[in-house]
Amino acid sequence: MAEIISGTALAAKIRAELKLETDELKKAGITPGLAVVLVGEDPASKVYVRNKTKACEEIGFYHEQYNLPATISEEEILDLVDTLNRSAKIHGILIQAPLPKGLDFKNIIDHIDPNKDVDAFHPYNVGKIMIGDFEFLPCTPAGVMELIHEAGVSVEGKNCVVVGRSNIVGKPQAMLLLKENGTVTVCHSKTPNLADFTRNADILVSAVGRAGLITGDMIKPGATVVDVGMNRNEEGKLVGDVDFSSVEPVAGYLTPVPGGVGPMTITMLMKNTLKAAKLSVKK
Ligand code: GUN
């Protein structure tokens, strides 16, 4: 029976540490500041943005939230990004994805000051991740690494399989596992016989967004399984990519949904924002 790695508990522990560091920084006259930009009415994005704002409150960050209508022009968003780039109170800028149709997410990200790019989405920071030399870790992959470490699992020499190749999770996840000397395979929707790969995984990270994709027969006994999926099942319940009931008896460690990767992603965003605030002093 797999040991469950609680992201809720680990996130609470790390946030308490971040709060102490933030209190120290505030004594030195710097309050970390995060700007969160939500465009349109996507219900899932609204929940994420609310949770990000709540985390700011909890740790004691200054925060600004912009709720913009889906009809806004790209120029207006770029003007806001310019303003936030220049704001002395703001150390981190987050544009919640996905954006409504007609807005070019990549172009908007390109305009964020890389020193304030706490999502690590700007090509400059993506390049830094590629060469293993980074200020900001991509939030979800960094949260996954923290969960693996919390379980006491070493990545070095392990077969690591990442399912999903998105710019937000799959690709940077592969880089972080590689940096810790894992042997990394990236699988995706065009991979034939996915189970042939997953069955060899000592560490399996699934970031696809399909409920029930990973079943117990696809798991190597004792493997560490991290579920990045966030899906609604037929009953409207939040579930991951992993079929929990069939995987739990086979895996060694398993993260739940909810309460696994989700709270860690936001915690890593807070960590990046604190780091951005500290770096702003040095620059
Ligand atoms: N949408 C889903 N995940 C993320 C994330 O980590 N950052 C942003 N900005 N948008 C997202």
Side-chain angles (χ1 to χ4, degrees):
M1 213 58 165
E3 191 172 311
I4 305 303
I5 320 170
S6 169
T8 308
L10 181 57
K13 189 171 96 183
I14 298 173
R15 286 185 201 187
E17 290 163 10
L18 295 177
K19 184 167 185 345
L20 290 178
E21 279 184 59
T22 301
D23 290 346
E24 284 304 309
L25 198 62
K26 281 166 134 177
K27 279 186 205 150
I30 298 138
T31 302
L34 177 68
V36 179
V37 180
L38 173 67
V39 188
E41 302 289 332
D42 181 67
S45 290
K46 280 186 178 174
V47 174
Y48 294 142
V49 164
R50 195 183 323 127
N51 288 336
K52 287 168 186 176
T53 307
K54 259 177 26 194
C56 286
E57 298 266 342
E58 182 190 322
I59 298 175
F61 289 178
Y62 170 75
H63 57 91
E64 293 177 6
Q65 188 179 322
Y66 295 86
N67 297 323
L68 307 175
T71 51
I72 197 166
S73 71
E74 196 161 310
E75 285 67 35
E76 285 173 282
I77 298 178
L78 294 178
D79 282 346
L80 173 62
V81 168
D82 278 339
T83 305
L84 296 171
N85 281 342
R86 285 191 307 261
S87 168
K89 283 185 182 170
I90 294 298
H91 304 99
I93 302 169
L94 180 138
I95 312 288
Q96 185 66 35
L99 289 177
K101 276 202 182 68
L103 297 170
D104 182 352
F105 187 67
K106 271 199 237 157
N107 185 45
I108 294 167
I109 294 300
D110 281 355
H111 281 77
I112 295 178
D113 177 348
N115 296 309
K116 296 191 177 189
D117 171 38
V118 285
D119 260 327
F121 289 170
H122 189 286
Y124 175 81
N125 289 318
V126 173
K128 295 273 253 182
I129 292 161
M130 186 82 186
I131 59 175
D133 158 32
F134 28 69
E135 318 278 21
F136 302 126
L137 292 167
C139 299
T140 298
V144 169
M145 297 313 291
E146 294 272 0
L147 288 163
I148 293 170
H149 297 156
E150 178 69 7
V153 172
S154 163
V155 175
E156 184 153 319
K158 300 283 168 60
N159 280 335
C160 304
V161 173
V162 178
V163 189
R165 55 172 155 179
S166 70
N167 290 328
I168 294 184
V169 187
K171 287 183 207 168
Q173 188 70 67
M175 289 303 131
L176 298 195
L177 290 162
L178 196 55
K179 187 159 197 284
E180 294 193 13
N181 302 318
T183 303
V184 183
T185 305
V186 182
C187 298
H188 47 79
S189 55
K190 300 290 187 288
T191 303
N193 306 323
L194 179 61
D196 288 349
F197 294 90
T198 60
R199 276 193 208 110
N200 278 317
D202 301 304
I203 298 172
L204 176 64
V205 180
S206 184
V208 173
R210 181 134 49 95
L213 175 70
I214 307 291
T215 47
D217 58 318
M218 298 166 75
I219 302 296
K220 181 174 177 177
T224 300
V225 180
V226 183
D227 190 353
V228 183
M230 289 265 210
N231 316 295
R232 296 273 165 200
N233 70 7
E234 305 87 60
E235 293 112 62
K237 207 172 133 233
L238 186 65
V239 294
D241 293 346
V242 173
D243 177 46
F244 197 88
S245 58
S246 68
V247 170
E248 191 186 19
V250 189
Y253 295 95
L254 176 59
T255 66
V257 177
V261 174
M264 290 304 297
T265 294
I266 298 178
T267 304
M268 295 299 106
L269 173 70
M270 299 296 118
K271 191 171 171 175
N272 281 344
T273 304
L274 178 60
K275 184 152 195 200
K278 287 183 176 172
L279 288 172
S280 76
V281 187
K282 292 196 191 138
K283 290 207 160 96

